[in-house]
Amino acid sequence: MKFKAFFTEDGMNLLDKRFLPALEKLGRMCHVYLTPDHAMFLHGLVPSGGDGPQCVAQFGKDLLFRDYRISSQCDNRIAFAADSALLHRALRSALTVHLQSNSDPNALIQIKLVKKLPVGSRSPAPYLSFETKGIRSAVVQDVPISKPLSRADLVELQSALDAAQDLPQTLVQVPDLAQLQSLVDRLKNLGELLSVTVTQYGDLHLQVSNSLVTVGSELRKLRVLGLHAEPPVSDGNLTASTRTEMAVQSGEAFSVQVSMKHLGKSLHCHLAKPDSTFYGIAPGGACLTVIFQYFIPGTRLTDKSISFYCRLPVLDTGSS
């Protein structure tokens, strides 16, 4: 089992400034999944059956690395667990040395899997090694990782990823994540469960209830991807709760309940600075899906080398 590559400038900046800060907020541990074509950072997919949010950040190998070499007996796929904060710290340290060696054309940051003998141990342990190379020096940062997943565990992981590919039939674009964050912050003190409704009219309705009060808020006339419908003519004269209930009953909306804590955690993904964010409910009300879109720099074209999304487990499924 072997893996080694050199970071690209874009790869270093993407991970350091955007994705690793977001992953740190999602949870301490993540899984790194390397394939012949992609590098992925996964949260919540392993072990299977977890009850928290699942987040997947996938990159085309050429975006993050060059001279990318990987081999294993599991179809040249390797996955392991690592501490997100330690990964970020090692990358930042390597970047600091790299910037100091900027005048050196041979200064590169190499990443590779190694086995080393820990202090006081008789058996070698796996590490992900960051090595900053220059003409005069080389600085090495070793991040301890778990034993790489077995073939059976890799098959289970890939199955979980494949199952997460079902897109909601309707997605609505939330233009301002800071506004949504502020709204969730106001609602979270009222209850632990949040009702979320996505309509084909382009509405996102949030509602929380307790024994004393029911409070809701909605974002209306959002951009819609997928199935789209025109709202009823009398829509503007109705209350938000009535509109939402009618949309659900007519089959032009999905409604589910999710954990307020899970939604709040997923909002930390704004640290990865997406260009667009879409919310939708998976077929059958399986989960609340959040998809983050990235553009090719300087354009409004989707960067297909980056895929980032979260799936929030549903605690109660409404009607559809």
Side-chain angles (χ1 to χ4, degrees), residues 48-97:
S48 62
D51 59 358
Q54 298 179 344
C55 298
V56 176
Q58 176 179 288
F59 306 91
K61 65 178 179 62
D62 294 330
L63 179 64
L64 296 188
F65 306 112
R66 61 186 182 86
D67 295 337
Y68 182 89
R69 301 178 187 180
I70 184 170
S71 63
S72 78
Q73 294 181 346
C74 301
D75 302 318
N76 296 326
R77 298 168 182 261
I78 302 171
F80 51 86
D83 186 309
S84 303
L86 293 183
L87 287 175
H88 196 191
R89 190 182 307 165
L91 179 60
R92 298 198 81 171
S93 297
L95 271 170
T96 299
V97 177

Coordinates of all heavy atoms in Angstrom, one line a residue, residues 48-97:
S48 N -20.7 3.1 9.5 CA -22.0 3.3 9.0 C -23.1 3.2 10.1 O -22.8 2.6 11.2 CB -22.3 2.2 8.0 OG -22.3 0.9 8.6
G49 N -24.2 3.8 9.9 CA -25.3 3.7 10.9 C -25.2 4.9 11.9 O -25.9 4.9 12.8
G50 N -24.2 5.8 11.7 CA -24.2 7.0 12.6 C -25.4 7.8 12.5 O -26.1 7.8 11.5
D51 N -25.7 8.6 13.6 CA -26.9 9.4 13.6 C -26.7 10.9 13.4 O -27.5 11.7 13.6 CB -27.7 9.1 14.9 CG -26.8 9.5 16.1 OD1 -25.7 9.9 15.9 OD2 -27.4 9.4 17.2
G52 N -25.4 11.2 13.0 CA -25.1 12.6 12.8 C -25.1 13.0 11.3 O -25.4 12.2 10.4
P53 N -24.8 14.3 11.0 CA -24.7 14.7 9.6 C -23.5 14.0 8.9 O -22.5 13.7 9.5 CB -24.4 16.2 9.7 CG -24.2 16.5 11.1 CD -24.5 15.3 12.0
Q54 N -23.7 13.7 7.6 CA -22.7 13.2 6.7 C -22.2 14.3 5.8 O -23.1 14.9 5.1 CB -23.2 12.0 5.9 CG -23.7 10.8 6.8 CD -24.2 9.7 5.9 OE1 -24.5 9.9 4.7 NE2 -24.3 8.5 6.5
C55 N -20.9 14.5 5.8 CA -20.4 15.5 4.9 C -19.3 14.9 4.0 O -18.4 14.2 4.5 CB -19.8 16.7 5.7 SG -21.1 17.6 6.7
V56 N -19.3 15.3 2.7 CA -18.3 14.8 1.8 C -17.7 16.0 1.0 O -18.4 16.7 0.4 CB -19.0 13.8 0.8 CG1 -18.0 13.3 -0.2 CG2 -19.6 12.6 1.5
A57 N -16.4 16.1 1.1 CA -15.7 17.0 0.2 C -14.8 16.2 -0.7 O -13.9 15.5 -0.3 CB -14.8 18.0 1.1
Q58 N -15.1 16.3 -2.0 CA -14.4 15.5 -3.0 C -13.7 16.4 -4.0 O -14.2 17.4 -4.5 CB -15.3 14.6 -3.8 CG -14.7 13.8 -4.9 CD -15.7 12.9 -5.6 OE1 -16.1 11.9 -5.1 NE2 -16.0 13.2 -6.8
F59 N -12.4 16.1 -4.3 CA -11.6 16.9 -5.2 C -11.0 16.0 -6.3 O -10.6 14.9 -6.0 CB -10.4 17.6 -4.5 CG -10.9 18.4 -3.3 CD1 -11.0 17.8 -2.0 CD2 -11.2 19.7 -3.4 CE1 -11.4 18.5 -0.9 CE2 -11.6 20.4 -2.3 CZ -11.7 19.8 -1.1
G60 N -11.0 16.5 -7.5 CA -10.2 15.8 -8.5 C -8.7 15.8 -8.2 O -8.2 16.8 -7.6
K61 N -8.1 14.7 -8.4 CA -6.7 14.6 -7.9 C -5.8 15.7 -8.4 O -4.9 16.2 -7.7 CB -6.1 13.2 -8.2 CG -5.9 12.9 -9.7 CD -5.3 11.5 -9.9 CE -5.2 11.2 -11.4 NZ -4.3 12.1 -12.1
D62 N -6.0 16.1 -9.7 CA -5.1 17.1 -10.3 C -5.3 18.5 -9.7 O -4.5 19.4 -10.0 CB -5.4 17.1 -11.8 CG -4.9 15.8 -12.5 OD1 -4.0 15.2 -11.9 OD2 -5.5 15.4 -13.5
L63 N -6.5 18.7 -9.0 CA -6.7 20.0 -8.4 C -5.8 20.2 -7.2 O -5.2 21.2 -6.9 CB -8.1 20.2 -8.0 CG -8.5 21.5 -7.3 CD1 -8.3 22.7 -8.2 CD2 -10.0 21.4 -6.8
L64 N -5.7 19.1 -6.4 CA -4.9 19.1 -5.1 C -3.4 18.8 -5.3 O -2.6 19.3 -4.6 CB -5.5 18.2 -4.1 CG -6.9 18.5 -3.6 CD1 -7.2 17.5 -2.4 CD2 -7.1 19.9 -3.2
F65 N -3.2 17.8 -6.3 CA -1.8 17.2 -6.3 C -1.3 17.2 -7.7 O -2.0 17.3 -8.7 CB -1.9 15.8 -5.8 CG -2.5 15.7 -4.4 CD1 -3.7 15.0 -4.2 CD2 -1.8 16.2 -3.3 CE1 -4.3 14.9 -3.0 CE2 -2.4 16.0 -2.0 CZ -3.6 15.4 -1.9
R66 N 0.0 17.0 -7.8 CA 0.7 16.6 -9.0 C 1.6 15.4 -8.7 O 2.0 15.2 -7.5 CB 1.4 17.7 -9.7 CG 2.5 18.4 -8.9 CD 3.0 19.6 -9.7 NE 4.1 20.3 -9.0 CZ 5.4 20.0 -9.2 NH1 5.7 19.0 -9.9 NH2 6.3 20.7 -8.6
D67 N 2.0 14.7 -9.7 CA 2.8 13.5 -9.5 C 2.2 12.6 -8.5 O 2.8 12.1 -7.5 CB 4.3 13.8 -9.0 CG 5.0 14.6 -10.1 OD1 4.7 14.5 -11.3 OD2 6.0 15.3 -9.7
Y68 N 0.9 12.4 -8.7 CA 0.0 11.6 -7.8 C 0.2 10.1 -8.0 O 0.0 9.7 -9.1 CB -1.4 12.0 -8.0 CG -2.5 11.4 -7.1 CD1 -2.9 12.0 -5.9 CD2 -3.2 10.3 -7.5 CE1 -3.9 11.4 -5.2 CE2 -4.2 9.7 -6.8 CZ -4.5 10.3 -5.6 OH -5.5 9.8 -4.8
R69 N 0.6 9.4 -7.0 CA 0.9 8.0 -7.1 C 0.2 7.2 -6.0 O 0.4 7.6 -4.8 CB 2.4 7.7 -7.1 CG 3.1 8.4 -8.3 CD 4.6 8.1 -8.2 NE 5.4 8.9 -9.2 CZ 6.7 8.9 -9.4 NH1 7.4 8.1 -8.6 NH2 7.3 9.7 -10.3
I70 N -0.6 6.2 -6.4 CA -1.3 5.5 -5.3 C -1.4 4.0 -5.8 O -1.6 3.7 -7.0 CB -2.7 6.0 -5.1 CG1 -3.4 5.3 -4.0 CG2 -3.5 6.0 -6.4 CD1 -4.7 5.9 -3.5
S71 N -1.2 3.1 -4.9 CA -1.3 1.7 -5.2 C -1.7 0.9 -3.9 O -1.3 1.3 -2.8 CB 0.0 1.1 -5.7 OG 1.0 1.2 -4.8
S72 N -2.6 0.0 -4.1 CA -3.0 -0.9 -2.9 C -3.7 -2.1 -3.5 O -4.0 -2.2 -4.7 CB -4.0 -0.1 -2.0 OG -5.3 -0.1 -2.6
Q73 N -3.9 -3.1 -2.7 CA -4.5 -4.3 -3.1 C -6.1 -4.2 -3.1 O -6.8 -5.1 -3.5 CB -4.1 -5.5 -2.2 CG -2.6 -5.8 -2.3 CD -2.2 -7.0 -1.4 OE1 -3.0 -7.3 -0.4 NE2 -1.1 -7.5 -1.6
C74 N -6.6 -3.0 -2.7 CA -8.0 -2.7 -2.7 C -8.3 -1.8 -3.9 O -8.9 -0.7 -3.8 CB -8.4 -2.1 -1.4 SG -8.1 -3.1 0.0
D75 N -8.0 -2.3 -5.1 CA -8.3 -1.5 -6.4 C -7.7 -0.1 -6.3 O -8.3 0.8 -6.8 CB -9.8 -1.4 -6.6 CG -10.5 -2.8 -6.7 OD1 -9.9 -3.7 -7.3 OD2 -11.6 -2.9 -6.1
N76 N -6.5 -0.1 -5.8 CA -5.8 1.2 -5.7 C -6.6 2.3 -4.9 O -6.6 3.4 -5.3 CB -5.3 1.7 -7.1 CG -4.4 0.7 -7.7 OD1 -3.6 0.1 -7.1 ND2 -4.5 0.6 -9.0
R77 N -7.2 1.9 -3.9 CA -8.0 2.8 -3.0 C -7.5 2.6 -1.6 O -7.2 1.5 -1.1 CB -9.5 2.5 -3.1 CG -10.1 2.6 -4.4 CD -11.5 2.1 -4.5 NE -12.0 2.2 -5.9 CZ -12.9 3.2 -6.2 NH1 -13.3 4.0 -5.3 NH2 -13.3 3.2 -7.5
I78 N -7.4 3.8 -0.9 CA -6.9 3.8 0.5 C -7.7 4.8 1.3 O -8.0 5.9 0.8 CB -5.4 4.3 0.5 CG1 -4.5 3.4 -0.3 CG2 -4.9 4.3 2.0 CD1 -3.1 3.9 -0.5
A79 N -8.1 4.4 2.5 CA -8.9 5.2 3.4 C -8.4 5.0 4.8 O -8.1 3.9 5.2 CB -10.4 4.9 3.3
F80 N -8.4 6.1 5.5 CA -7.9 6.1 6.9 C -8.5 7.3 7.7 O -8.9 8.3 7.1 CB -6.4 6.1 7.0 CG -5.8 7.2 6.2 CD1 -5.6 8.5 6.8 CD2 -5.3 7.0 4.9 CE1 -5.0 9.5 6.0 CE2 -4.8 8.1 4.2 CZ -4.6 9.3 4.7
A81 N -8.5 7.1 9.0 CA -9.0 8.2 9.9 C -7.9 9.1 10.3 O -6.8 8.6 10.5 CB -9.8 7.6 11.1
A82 N -8.2 10.4 10.5 CA -7.1 11.3 11.0 C -7.8 12.5 11.7 O -9.0 12.7 11.5 CB -6.3 11.9 9.8
D83 N -7.1 13.1 12.6 CA -7.5 14.3 13.3 C -7.5 15.5 12.4 O -6.4 15.9 11.9 CB -6.7 14.5 14.5 CG -7.2 15.6 15.5 OD1 -7.4 16.7 15.0 OD2 -7.3 15.3 16.7
S84 N -8.7 16.1 12.1 CA -8.7 17.3 11.2 C -7.8 18.4 11.7 O -7.1 19.0 10.8 CB -10.2 17.8 11.1 OG -11.0 16.8 10.7
A85 N -7.8 18.7 13.0 CA -6.9 19.8 13.5 C -5.5 19.5 13.2 O -4.7 20.4 12.9 CB -7.2 20.0 14.9
L86 N -5.0 18.2 13.4 CA -3.6 17.9 13.2 C -3.3 18.0 11.8 O -2.2 18.4 11.4 CB -3.4 16.5 13.8 CG -3.5 16.3 15.3 CD1 -3.1 14.9 15.7 CD2 -2.6 17.3 16.0
L87 N -4.2 17.5 10.9 CA -3.9 17.7 9.5 C -3.7 19.2 9.1 O -2.8 19.5 8.3 CB -5.1 17.1 8.6 CG -5.3 15.6 8.6 CD1 -6.5 15.2 7.8 CD2 -4.0 14.9 7.9
H88 N -4.6 20.0 9.6 CA -4.5 21.4 9.3 C -3.2 22.0 9.9 O -2.5 22.8 9.2 CB -5.7 22.1 9.9 CG -5.9 23.5 9.3 ND1 -6.8 24.4 9.8 CD2 -5.3 24.1 8.2 CE1 -6.8 25.5 9.0 NE2 -5.9 25.4 8.1
R89 N -2.9 21.6 11.1 CA -1.7 22.2 11.7 C -0.4 21.8 10.9 O 0.5 22.6 10.7 CB -1.6 21.7 13.1 CG -0.5 22.4 14.0 CD -0.4 21.8 15.4 NE -1.7 21.8 16.0 CZ -2.0 21.1 17.1 NH1 -1.1 20.3 17.6 NH2 -3.2 21.1 17.6
A90 N -0.4 20.5 10.5 CA 0.8 20.1 9.7 C 0.9 20.8 8.4 O 2.0 21.2 7.9 CB 0.7 18.5 9.5
L91 N -0.3 21.0 7.7 CA -0.3 21.7 6.4 C 0.2 23.1 6.6 O 1.0 23.7 5.8 CB -1.6 21.6 5.8 CG -1.8 22.3 4.4 CD1 -0.8 21.8 3.4 CD2 -3.2 22.3 3.9
R92 N -0.3 23.8 7.7 CA 0.1 25.2 7.9 C 1.6 25.3 8.2 O 2.2 26.3 7.8 CB -0.8 25.8 9.0 CG -2.3 25.8 8.7 CD -3.0 26.8 9.6 NE -2.9 28.1 9.1 CZ -3.6 29.1 9.5 NH1 -4.5 29.0 10.5 NH2 -3.4 30.3 9.0
S93 N 2.1 24.4 9.0 CA 3.5 24.4 9.3 C 4.3 24.2 8.0 O 5.3 24.9 7.8 CB 3.9 23.3 10.3 OG 3.2 23.5 11.5
A94 N 3.9 23.3 7.2 CA 4.6 23.0 5.9 C 4.5 24.3 5.0 O 5.5 24.6 4.4 CB 4.0 21.8 5.2
L95 N 3.4 24.9 5.0 CA 3.2 26.1 4.2 C 4.1 27.3 4.7 O 4.6 28.0 3.9 CB 1.7 26.6 4.3 CG 0.8 26.0 3.2 CD1 -0.7 26.4 3.5 CD2 1.1 26.6 1.8
T96 N 4.2 27.4 6.0 CA 5.1 28.4 6.5 C 6.5 28.3 6.1 O 7.2 29.2 5.6 CB 5.1 28.4 8.1 OG1 3.7 28.7 8.5 CG2 6.0 29.5 8.7
V97 N 7.0 27.0 6.1 CA 8.4 26.7 5.7 C 8.5 26.9 4.1 O 9.4 27.5 3.6 CB 8.8 25.3 6.0 CG1 10.2 24.9 5.5 CG2 8.8 25.1 7.5

